[in-house]
Amino acid sequence: MTLALYRYQLPFTQPLTFHGKVEVAREGLLVRIGNGWGEIAPLPGFSRETLAEAEAEALDCLARLARGQTTAPRLPSVQFGLDCAHRHWPEQGAPLPEPYPLIQGSPQELLKNWKQWLHETPLKAKLKVARYPMRDELALIRLLLDRRPNLKLVLDANQGWTREEAWAFCGHLDPNRIEYLEDLCANFEDIAFVASRTGMPVALDELLAQGKAWEPIPQLRALVLKPTLLGSLTRCEALVARARELRLKVIVSSCFESGVGLGQLARLAGEWAPDQAPGLDTRRWLAGDLLDPQGQPDPGKMEPLFHRD
C-alpha cells in the first residue's frame, strides 16, 4: 500500500488577512494512503496547530502505518486529512446548490469598485465584518442592500466584537435582510445576549471548533462546519446530527483548501446538507491548484516529504 506525504504552496491572487496577519500564499500538506487522498492544511490564525506541528504528526502517523500499527492523531487538521484518505467515498448525488460568493477587501475599495462585481452578486453573498471601522462596514452593507433589494447577506465577524460592539452594529441592521451573522463574539453568552435584544439571526462557526459550550436559542439558524478546524469526520457527523435534531441549517465551509480538499468538502456537503449552498467560494482566491487535467492530485506540483510502497 502506498503511503505518501507532500507539502504544497499556492499563492493567493491577492494578500489576505487572517485574524490580523497578512498571508500571501496558502501552505499545506496532501497525504496519500493507498488510493485515497486527504488534505492537511491548518489555517493560520484559526487552527490551534501550526503547519510544522501538523507535518510532524502526519509523518509520525505514516511511519506507524508503514509498521502496521494504528494511528490516533490529536491535531484537527491531521484527523481530517487522514479520515478523508481512509474514507470510502459514496457515489456523488445530485449537484449541490451553487456556493455563494465570499466578498473580501476593504470597504473603501469595495465601495469604489462596486459596479465591477455587484451585478454578479446572486441572492445571497457572504461578507467579512469586524475588520474595519464600523461606519465603513455599515456603509458598504447599506449600499449592497440598497442596490439589490432581494439580496440577503451572510455576515461573518470571526468573534471580532465585544458584546457592546456587536449590539451597536446589529442595531443599524434590518434582521430581515441578514441570513445570519456568524460568531459575533468570542463567548456564546454574549452572542445570545445580542441576538435576543436585536432579533438578529445568528450562526455558530469558530465557537464549535473551539469546543465552547452553546445551546439552542430562538435566533440560532445554522451550524457552520469547517472540518479542517473541527477534526475527525465523526465529530463533524455528531454536529450534523445535532443540527438536524434542532432543525438548524448545516453549512459546510472551507478554510482556503486546495482543489483536493474543496472537492472532498463538496462531497461531504452533498451527504450532510444536500439542500444547502456550501461556503466553498475560496478557490478563486488561489492563483493555482494541485490537480492534473484528470482532476487527480499531481505530485509534480508538490514537494515530497515521505513515500513508501
Side-chain angles (χ1 to χ4, degrees), residues 5-304:
L5 187 70
Y6 302 89
R7 184 192 291 124
Y8 72 79
Q9 182 180 78
L10 295 171
F12 288 128
T13 55
Q14 66 184 62
L16 297 179
T17 303
F18 299 103
H19 270 319
K21 187 181 178 188
V22 177
E23 301 284 346
V24 298
R26 187 69 169 104
E27 295 182 286
L29 308 164
L30 288 193
V31 61
R32 181 179 177 184
I33 300 174
N35 292 322
W37 290 84
E39 182 157 354
I40 300 170
L43 185 62
F46 291 87
S47 292
R48 71 171 192 239
E49 70 271 24
T50 65
L51 180 60
E53 290 168 340
E55 180 181 311
E57 185 170 78
L59 286 169
D60 179 67
C61 288
L62 288 177
R64 292 179 65 84
L65 287 173
R67 295 193 297 267
Q69 299 171 331
T70 58
T71 62
R74 59 180 183 83
L75 301 178
S77 62
V78 182
Q79 291 174 349
F80 173 58
L82 291 182
D83 276 1
C84 286
H86 280 297
R87 194 170 200 260
H88 175 70
W89 294 89
E91 290 295 318
Q92 284 183 276
L96 283 167
E98 196 67 24
Y100 49 88
L102 170 63
I103 302 169
Q104 290 214 140
S106 73
Q108 294 93 333
E109 191 66 26
L110 293 169
L111 282 165
K112 192 193 318 179
N113 299 309
W114 67 269
K115 289 184 180 177
Q116 296 178 11
W117 53 267
L118 186 59
H119 69 281
E120 299 174 354
T121 303
L123 298 182
K124 178 178 174 181
K126 181 172 181 176
L127 179 68
K128 295 284 188 176
V129 292
R131 297 183 171 200
Y132 299 95
M134 192 175 291
R135 65 178 181 276
D136 296 342
E137 293 183 340
L138 288 169
L140 175 61
I141 291 169
R142 278 194 291 270
L143 178 138
L144 291 172
L145 297 180
D146 287 347
R147 295 295 192 277
R148 291 296 295 264
N150 296 323
L151 176 67
K152 273 204 168 186
L153 286 176
V154 171
L155 303 177
D156 186 359
N158 289 130
Q159 302 183 341
W161 289 318
T162 64
R163 176 185 291 198
E164 293 74 22
E165 289 168 337
W167 196 356
F169 190 92
C170 292
H172 290 280
L173 300 175
D174 176 0
N176 295 315
R177 299 298 306 277
I178 307 302
E179 182 94 0
Y180 49 78
L181 208 165
E182 293 178 32
D183 285 346
L184 294 74
C185 310
N187 295 308
F188 181 75
E189 294 79 10
D190 292 335
I191 294 172
F193 178 91
V194 174
S196 67
R197 280 155 181 79
T198 63
M200 183 61 62
V202 297
L204 304 178
D205 180 355
E206 287 178 74
L207 190 131
L208 301 174
Q210 292 162 349
K212 293 181 179 178
W214 62 277
E215 59 188 39
I217 57 174
Q219 296 80 22
L220 184 59
R221 298 288 186 270
L223 300 185
V224 181
L225 307 187
K226 289 186 169 72
T228 286
L229 304 184
L230 286 165
S232 71
L233 294 181
T234 299
R235 184 183 179 192
C236 295
E237 286 162 349
L239 286 168
V240 172
R242 180 73 171 135
R244 287 174 179 162
E245 177 188 328
L246 297 173
R247 299 188 178 181
L248 301 174
K249 294 178 182 177
V250 169
I251 311 296
V252 177
S253 186
S254 61
C255 289
F256 291 85
E257 292 88 353
S258 75
V260 177
L262 283 174
Q264 292 175 332
L265 289 171
R267 296 186 72 172
L268 291 171
E271 292 180 46
W272 297 342
D275 57 337
Q276 291 296 325
L280 304 180
D281 184 45
T282 51
R283 188 193 299 266
R284 63 193 177 98
W285 299 98
L286 297 173
D289 207 347
L290 306 175
L291 300 174
D292 63 21
Q294 287 72 46
Q296 297 300 310
D298 184 351
K301 297 181 178 181
M302 299 173 279
E303 176 190 353

